[in-house]
Amino acid sequence: MVVDKGGDGGSPPFRDQLAEAMRGMKEEARLSYGKLAEKTHYSRSSWERFLNGKQLPTTVAVEEFAAATGADADVLLALLAKATAYEELRAARQQQAAAPHPAPEPAAAPTPTPGQAPVPATTTGPANVPATAHAPQAPSAAPARRPRLREWKGHARTAALVVAGALVGSIVTVVIGGGPGGGAAADSSRAGARPSASAAGAQASSPRPPACSADTCLRREPQAMDCHWDGTTVRETWLRGLKIQLRYSAACRAVWGRIENGTVGDSVTIKDKGGREESATIRVDNDTYTRMLAVSADAPPDSVIICGQIPRYQESECSPLGAVLP
Protein backbone atom coordinates (compact mmCIF):
# COMPACT_ATOMS: atom_id res chain seq x y z
CA MET A 1 0.00 0.00 0.00
CA VAL A 2 1.35 3.40 -1.02
CA VAL A 3 1.49 6.01 1.73
CA ASP A 4 1.38 9.69 0.85
CA LYS A 5 3.97 11.19 3.16
CA GLY A 6 3.32 14.63 1.79
CA GLY A 7 -0.37 14.74 2.77
CA ASP A 8 -3.24 15.77 0.58
CA GLY A 9 -1.72 19.17 -0.10
CA GLY A 10 1.90 17.99 -0.40
CA SER A 11 3.86 17.08 -3.48
CA PRO A 12 3.54 13.39 -4.51
CA PRO A 13 6.64 11.48 -3.30
CA PHE A 14 7.38 9.51 -6.48
CA ARG A 15 7.15 12.64 -8.61
CA ASP A 16 9.69 14.30 -6.32
CA GLN A 17 12.00 11.29 -6.60
CA LEU A 18 11.83 11.39 -10.40
CA ALA A 19 12.45 15.15 -10.51
CA GLU A 20 15.40 14.86 -8.11
CA ALA A 21 16.96 12.07 -10.16
CA MET A 22 16.59 14.06 -13.40
CA ARG A 23 18.07 17.17 -11.82
CA GLY A 24 21.11 15.19 -10.72
CA MET A 25 21.58 13.73 -14.20
CA LYS A 26 21.27 17.18 -15.76
CA GLU A 27 23.97 18.54 -13.45
CA GLU A 28 26.27 15.61 -14.22
CA ALA A 29 25.82 16.24 -17.94
CA ARG A 30 26.42 19.99 -17.35
CA LEU A 31 23.36 20.95 -19.36
CA SER A 32 21.28 24.05 -18.80
CA TYR A 33 17.53 24.19 -19.42
CA GLY A 34 18.25 26.04 -22.64
CA LYS A 35 20.60 23.29 -23.85
CA LEU A 36 18.00 20.67 -23.00
CA ALA A 37 15.46 22.56 -25.10
CA GLU A 38 17.90 22.64 -28.02
CA LYS A 39 18.59 18.90 -27.81
CA THR A 40 14.94 17.85 -27.38
CA HIS A 41 11.48 18.59 -28.63
CA TYR A 42 10.50 20.38 -25.40
CA SER A 43 10.87 24.02 -24.43
CA ARG A 44 12.90 25.48 -21.58
CA SER A 45 9.74 26.16 -19.53
CA SER A 46 8.61 22.53 -19.98
CA TRP A 47 11.91 21.22 -18.62
CA GLU A 48 11.72 23.60 -15.67
CA ARG A 49 8.28 22.21 -14.78
CA PHE A 50 9.43 18.60 -15.19
CA LEU A 51 12.62 18.94 -13.14
CA ASN A 52 11.02 21.03 -10.39
CA GLY A 53 8.29 18.43 -9.82
CA LYS A 54 5.45 20.70 -10.93
CA GLN A 55 4.39 18.37 -13.74
CA LEU A 56 5.03 14.73 -14.63
CA PRO A 57 7.00 14.37 -17.88
CA THR A 58 5.71 12.13 -20.66
CA THR A 59 7.37 8.89 -21.68
CA VAL A 60 8.76 10.55 -24.82
CA ALA A 61 10.18 13.42 -22.74
CA VAL A 62 11.96 10.99 -20.40
CA GLU A 63 13.44 9.07 -23.34
CA GLU A 64 14.67 12.29 -24.95
CA PHE A 65 16.12 13.48 -21.65
CA ALA A 66 18.04 10.23 -21.25
CA ALA A 67 19.40 10.52 -24.80
CA ALA A 68 20.47 14.14 -24.23
CA THR A 69 22.17 13.51 -20.88
CA GLY A 70 23.50 10.00 -21.53
CA ALA A 71 21.50 8.67 -18.56
CA ASP A 72 19.91 5.23 -18.15
CA ALA A 73 16.40 5.57 -19.58
CA ASP A 74 15.16 2.37 -17.86
CA VAL A 75 15.77 3.80 -14.39
CA LEU A 76 13.86 6.99 -15.18
CA LEU A 77 11.02 5.15 -16.91
CA ALA A 78 10.60 2.91 -13.83
CA LEU A 79 10.32 5.98 -11.59
CA LEU A 80 7.85 7.53 -14.04
CA ALA A 81 5.68 4.39 -13.99
CA LYS A 82 5.59 4.45 -10.16
CA ALA A 83 4.72 8.15 -10.10
CA THR A 84 1.95 7.74 -12.68
CA ALA A 85 0.39 4.76 -10.87
CA TYR A 86 0.58 6.55 -7.52
CA GLU A 87 -1.12 9.71 -8.78
CA GLU A 88 -3.88 7.75 -10.54
CA LEU A 89 -4.57 5.85 -7.30
CA ARG A 90 -4.51 9.06 -5.28
CA ALA A 91 -6.95 10.78 -7.64
CA ALA A 92 -9.31 7.80 -7.52
CA ARG A 93 -9.34 7.83 -3.71
CA GLN A 94 -9.99 11.56 -3.57
CA GLN A 95 -12.85 11.21 -6.03
CA GLN A 96 -14.34 8.36 -4.00
CA ALA A 97 -14.07 10.37 -0.76
CA ALA A 98 -15.76 13.38 -2.37
CA ALA A 99 -18.69 11.34 -3.71
CA PRO A 100 -21.98 11.93 -1.77
CA HIS A 101 -23.21 9.01 0.35
CA PRO A 102 -26.99 8.35 0.17
CA ALA A 103 -28.94 8.51 3.44
CA PRO A 104 -30.44 5.21 4.69
CA GLU A 105 -34.06 4.69 3.71
CA PRO A 106 -36.63 4.54 6.56
CA ALA A 107 -38.21 1.17 7.30
CA ALA A 108 -41.53 0.62 5.55
CA ALA A 109 -44.64 0.32 7.69
CA PRO A 110 -46.34 -3.12 7.61
CA THR A 111 -49.25 -3.33 5.17
CA PRO A 112 -52.44 -4.90 6.54
CA THR A 113 -53.74 -7.93 4.67
CA PRO A 114 -57.07 -7.26 2.86
CA GLY A 115 -59.97 -8.84 4.68
CA GLN A 116 -58.05 -9.37 7.93
CA ALA A 117 -60.44 -9.42 10.87
CA PRO A 118 -59.81 -6.80 13.53
CA VAL A 119 -59.04 -8.01 17.02
CA PRO A 120 -62.21 -7.61 19.09
CA ALA A 121 -61.89 -5.38 22.13
CA THR A 122 -62.44 -6.92 25.56
CA THR A 123 -65.48 -5.52 27.30
CA THR A 124 -66.72 -5.88 30.81
CA GLY A 125 -70.31 -6.23 31.81
CA PRO A 126 -72.53 -7.35 34.63
CA ALA A 127 -71.65 -10.71 36.05
CA ASN A 128 -75.22 -11.93 35.85
CA VAL A 129 -75.52 -11.48 32.04
CA PRO A 130 -75.63 -14.94 30.44
CA ALA A 131 -72.85 -15.85 27.92
CA THR A 132 -75.46 -16.51 25.20
CA ALA A 133 -76.24 -12.80 25.10
CA HIS A 134 -73.23 -12.24 22.81
CA ALA A 135 -74.01 -15.12 20.44
CA PRO A 136 -76.07 -13.06 17.93
CA GLN A 137 -73.06 -10.72 17.35
CA ALA A 138 -70.70 -13.47 16.10
CA PRO A 139 -72.50 -14.16 12.78
CA SER A 140 -72.72 -10.43 11.99
CA ALA A 141 -68.88 -10.12 11.88
CA ALA A 142 -68.43 -12.78 9.16
CA PRO A 143 -70.71 -11.16 6.54
CA ALA A 144 -68.95 -7.81 7.18
CA ARG A 145 -65.51 -9.33 6.40
CA ARG A 146 -66.47 -11.49 3.38
CA PRO A 147 -67.82 -8.64 1.19
CA ARG A 148 -64.56 -6.70 1.64
CA LEU A 149 -62.52 -9.77 0.65
CA ARG A 150 -64.71 -10.46 -2.39
CA GLU A 151 -64.57 -6.78 -3.39
CA TRP A 152 -60.70 -6.77 -3.24
CA LYS A 153 -60.52 -9.91 -5.37
CA GLY A 154 -62.97 -8.39 -7.84
CA HIS A 155 -60.82 -5.26 -8.21
CA ALA A 156 -57.72 -7.41 -8.79
CA ARG A 157 -59.45 -9.41 -11.54
CA THR A 158 -60.68 -6.21 -13.19
CA ALA A 159 -57.19 -4.67 -13.18
CA ALA A 160 -55.71 -7.86 -14.65
CA LEU A 161 -58.27 -7.86 -17.47
CA VAL A 162 -57.57 -4.19 -18.26
CA VAL A 163 -53.80 -4.78 -18.46
CA ALA A 164 -54.26 -7.88 -20.62
CA GLY A 165 -56.56 -5.99 -22.95
CA ALA A 166 -54.11 -3.13 -23.32
CA LEU A 167 -51.27 -5.56 -24.07
CA VAL A 168 -53.28 -7.37 -26.74
CA GLY A 169 -54.26 -4.03 -28.29
CA SER A 170 -50.61 -2.93 -28.44
CA ILE A 171 -49.56 -6.16 -30.13
CA VAL A 172 -52.32 -5.83 -32.73
CA THR A 173 -51.31 -2.20 -33.39
CA VAL A 174 -47.65 -3.16 -33.93
CA VAL A 175 -48.50 -6.06 -36.24
CA ILE A 176 -51.06 -4.18 -38.34
CA GLY A 177 -49.71 -0.62 -38.20
CA GLY A 178 -46.00 -1.46 -38.48
CA GLY A 179 -45.11 -0.18 -35.00
CA PRO A 180 -45.36 3.27 -33.43
CA GLY A 181 -46.22 5.86 -36.00
CA GLY A 182 -49.26 4.04 -37.40
CA GLY A 183 -50.10 3.54 -41.03
CA ALA A 184 -47.69 6.16 -42.32
CA ALA A 185 -44.73 4.14 -41.11
CA ALA A 186 -46.23 0.97 -42.56
CA ASP A 187 -46.82 2.66 -45.93
CA SER A 188 -43.30 3.97 -45.92
CA SER A 189 -41.83 0.54 -45.26
CA ARG A 190 -44.06 -1.10 -47.89
CA ALA A 191 -43.02 1.54 -50.39
CA GLY A 192 -39.41 0.48 -49.92
CA ALA A 193 -38.25 3.74 -48.29
CA ARG A 194 -34.50 3.82 -47.69
CA PRO A 195 -32.15 6.36 -46.04
CA SER A 196 -30.79 8.90 -48.48
CA ALA A 197 -27.25 8.48 -49.82
CA SER A 198 -26.13 11.70 -48.09
CA ALA A 199 -27.38 10.50 -44.69
CA ALA A 200 -25.65 7.14 -45.14
CA GLY A 201 -22.44 8.89 -46.10
CA ALA A 202 -22.62 11.15 -43.06
CA GLN A 203 -23.01 8.13 -40.78
CA ALA A 204 -20.15 6.31 -42.46
CA SER A 205 -17.85 9.32 -42.08
CA SER A 206 -18.80 10.25 -38.51
CA PRO A 207 -15.67 11.14 -36.52
CA ARG A 208 -14.28 8.88 -33.84
CA PRO A 209 -12.18 9.89 -30.84
CA PRO A 210 -8.46 9.93 -31.67
CA ALA A 211 -6.18 7.21 -30.32
CA CYS A 212 -3.32 9.56 -29.43
CA SER A 213 -2.55 13.15 -28.46
CA ALA A 214 0.53 15.36 -28.78
CA ASP A 215 3.67 13.38 -27.84
CA THR A 216 1.90 10.03 -28.04
CA CYS A 217 1.18 10.74 -31.73
CA LEU A 218 4.89 11.15 -32.53
CA ARG A 219 5.92 9.07 -35.59
CA ARG A 220 2.49 7.45 -35.83
CA GLU A 221 0.26 7.30 -38.90
CA PRO A 222 -2.60 9.85 -38.84
CA GLN A 223 -5.21 7.50 -40.29
CA ALA A 224 -4.32 4.62 -37.97
CA MET A 225 -4.73 6.98 -34.97
CA ASP A 226 -7.99 8.52 -36.34
CA CYS A 227 -6.37 11.95 -36.48
CA HIS A 228 -7.47 12.59 -40.08
CA TRP A 229 -11.14 13.11 -39.16
CA ASP A 230 -10.61 16.76 -38.21
CA GLY A 231 -7.50 17.31 -40.35
CA THR A 232 -7.17 20.76 -41.93
CA THR A 233 -4.62 22.22 -44.32
CA VAL A 234 -2.59 24.89 -42.53
CA ARG A 235 -0.04 25.43 -45.31
CA GLU A 236 0.00 24.66 -49.02
CA THR A 237 2.38 25.16 -51.94
CA TRP A 238 2.87 23.78 -55.46
CA LEU A 239 5.72 22.42 -57.58
CA ARG A 240 5.10 21.56 -61.26
CA GLY A 241 1.52 20.52 -60.44
CA LEU A 242 2.57 18.65 -57.27
CA LYS A 243 0.32 19.77 -54.42
CA ILE A 244 2.27 19.99 -51.14
CA GLN A 245 0.21 20.31 -47.95
CA LEU A 246 0.89 20.51 -44.23
CA ARG A 247 -2.06 18.91 -42.44
CA TYR A 248 -3.01 19.59 -38.80
CA SER A 249 -5.34 17.84 -36.32
CA ALA A 250 -6.48 19.92 -33.35
CA ALA A 251 -7.82 16.82 -31.58
CA CYS A 252 -4.48 15.01 -31.85
CA ARG A 253 -2.31 18.14 -31.60
CA ALA A 254 -0.12 16.83 -34.41
CA VAL A 255 0.83 17.59 -38.04
CA TRP A 256 1.79 15.53 -41.06
CA GLY A 257 2.83 16.20 -44.65
CA ARG A 258 0.88 15.17 -47.73
CA ILE A 259 1.49 15.40 -51.51
CA GLU A 260 -1.00 14.84 -54.33
CA ASN A 261 -0.93 14.82 -58.15
CA GLY A 262 2.60 13.42 -58.11
CA THR A 263 4.33 10.44 -59.66
CA VAL A 264 6.31 7.52 -58.28
CA GLY A 265 9.52 8.83 -56.70
CA ASP A 266 8.19 12.22 -55.61
CA SER A 267 8.55 12.83 -51.87
CA VAL A 268 7.46 15.09 -49.01
CA THR A 269 9.39 16.03 -45.85
CA ILE A 270 8.34 17.89 -42.69
CA LYS A 271 10.64 19.24 -39.97
CA ASP A 272 9.81 20.90 -36.65
CA LYS A 273 11.75 23.54 -34.73
CA GLY A 274 13.36 20.86 -32.58
CA GLY A 275 14.97 19.19 -35.59
CA ARG A 276 12.66 16.19 -35.88
CA GLU A 277 11.64 15.27 -39.40
CA GLU A 278 9.48 12.76 -41.21
CA SER A 279 9.52 11.88 -44.93
CA ALA A 280 7.44 9.81 -47.31
CA THR A 281 7.93 8.84 -50.98
CA ILE A 282 5.26 7.88 -53.49
CA ARG A 283 5.61 4.15 -54.18
CA VAL A 284 2.35 3.59 -56.05
CA ASP A 285 -0.41 5.83 -57.44
CA ASN A 286 0.09 9.60 -57.17
CA ASP A 287 -0.10 10.60 -53.52
CA THR A 288 1.34 9.83 -50.08
CA TYR A 289 1.63 11.25 -46.56
CA THR A 290 4.17 11.20 -43.73
CA ARG A 291 3.92 10.06 -40.16
CA MET A 292 3.07 12.70 -37.54
CA LEU A 293 5.06 15.21 -35.51
CA ALA A 294 3.65 16.64 -32.29
CA VAL A 295 2.93 20.36 -31.86
CA SER A 296 2.42 22.49 -28.77
CA ALA A 297 2.04 26.08 -27.63
CA ASP A 298 5.83 26.41 -27.76
CA ALA A 299 6.04 24.72 -31.17
CA PRO A 300 2.81 25.54 -33.08
CA PRO A 301 1.92 24.15 -36.52
CA ASP A 302 3.17 27.28 -38.32
CA SER A 303 6.69 26.59 -37.02
CA VAL A 304 6.87 23.34 -39.02
CA ILE A 305 8.59 23.39 -42.42
CA ILE A 306 7.21 21.29 -45.27
CA CYS A 307 8.99 20.59 -48.57
CA GLY A 308 8.11 18.63 -51.68
CA GLN A 309 10.71 17.14 -54.00
CA ILE A 310 10.61 15.95 -57.62
CA PRO A 311 13.88 14.02 -58.12
CA ARG A 312 13.57 13.60 -61.89
CA TYR A 313 13.73 17.39 -62.28
CA GLN A 314 16.04 17.85 -59.28
CA GLU A 315 13.64 20.47 -57.94
CA SER A 316 12.08 21.14 -54.57
CA GLU A 317 9.65 23.63 -53.06
CA CYS A 318 9.27 24.51 -49.37
CA SER A 319 6.83 26.39 -47.21
CA PRO A 320 7.27 28.88 -45.67
CA LEU A 321 8.79 30.33 -48.80
CA GLY A 322 12.56 30.48 -48.64
CA ALA A 323 12.90 27.75 -46.01
CA VAL A 324 15.88 25.45 -46.33
CA LEU A 325 15.12 21.90 -47.45
CA PRO A 326 15.29 19.60 -44.40
Side-chain angles (χ1 to χ4, degrees), residues 3-316:
V3 179
D4 183 2
K5 297 181 180 179
D8 292 337
S11 181
F14 290 118
R15 186 195 295 184
D16 287 346
Q17 293 176 14
L18 176 61
E20 184 178 358
M22 294 177 72
R23 286 197 303 270
M25 294 174 181
K26 181 181 81 73
E27 294 301 328
E28 290 181 4
R30 296 184 179 181
L31 291 177
S32 63
Y33 289 113
K35 288 294 184 182
L36 273 177
E38 292 177 3
K39 290 177 173 290
T40 63
H41 185 250
Y42 296 85
S43 65
R44 175 191 178 97
S45 59
S46 296
W47 286 118
E48 288 178 349
R49 290 194 299 271
F50 295 157
L51 272 64
N52 288 328
K54 296 179 181 178
Q55 178 184 346
L56 270 181
T58 62
T59 302
V60 175
V62 169
E63 291 173 347
E64 290 193 8
F65 176 85
T69 59
D72 187 354
D74 293 337
V75 173
L76 295 177
L77 289 175
L79 285 174
L80 176 62
K82 289 181 179 179
T84 302
Y86 172 82
E87 295 196 11
E88 289 177 353
L89 177 61
R90 186 187 190 194
R93 287 178 176 175
Q94 290 176 349
Q95 184 177 5
Q96 183 179 7
H101 299 284
E105 296 182 359
T111 304
T113 304
Q116 182 178 1
V119 178
T122 303
T123 57
T124 59
N128 58 355
V129 176
T132 57
H134 298 284
Q137 297 178 0
S140 62
R145 289 194 301 270
R146 279 195 292 270
R148 287 198 296 270
L149 182 60
R150 286 196 300 270
E151 181 181 358
W152 177 80
K153 291 182 178 179
H155 288 320
R157 285 195 296 270
T158 302
L161 291 175
V162 170
V163 172
L167 180 60
V168 172
S170 300
I171 296 175
V172 172
T173 302
V174 171
V175 173
I176 297 177
D187 294 341
S188 175
S189 62
R190 284 194 295 269
R194 295 291 185 271
S196 64
S198 59
Q203 293 176 358
S205 61
S206 59
R208 294 179 292 184
C212 67
S213 177
D215 292 337
T216 57
C217 293
L218 187 63
R219 306 191 191 287
R220 294 177 180 267
E221 292 192 356
Q223 292 190 7
M225 296 292 105
D226 291 321
C227 295
H228 62 295
W229 292 113
D230 69 329
T232 58
T233 300
V234 295
R235 186 175 292 149
E236 182 177 277
T237 187
W238 294 81
L239 175 63
R240 287 181 175 268
L242 179 69
K243 183 190 292 186
I244 308 163
Q245 295 179 323
L246 180 67
R247 302 282 291 172
Y248 167 65
S249 167
C252 293
R253 291 185 291 166
V255 295
W256 63 95
R258 182 175 71 181
I259 52 175
E260 297 178 339
N261 303 326
T263 58
V264 173
D266 294 349
S267 62
V268 56
T269 302
I270 58 174
K271 183 177 182 180
D272 62 17
K273 63 185 297 185
R276 278 203 189 88
E277 64 179 67
E278 288 291 334
S279 299
T281 302
I282 297 179
R283 305 296 182 187
V284 294
D285 296 331
N286 57 6
D287 59 1
T288 190
Y289 58 89
T290 69
R291 293 176 181 266
M292 293 185 286
L293 294 178
V295 296
S296 63
D298 300 323
D302 58 10
S303 66
V304 179
I305 298 172
I306 180 168
C307 297
Q309 300 91 36
I310 303 180
R312 66 184 182 279
Y313 295 120
Q314 296 183 352
E315 294 182 1
S316 64

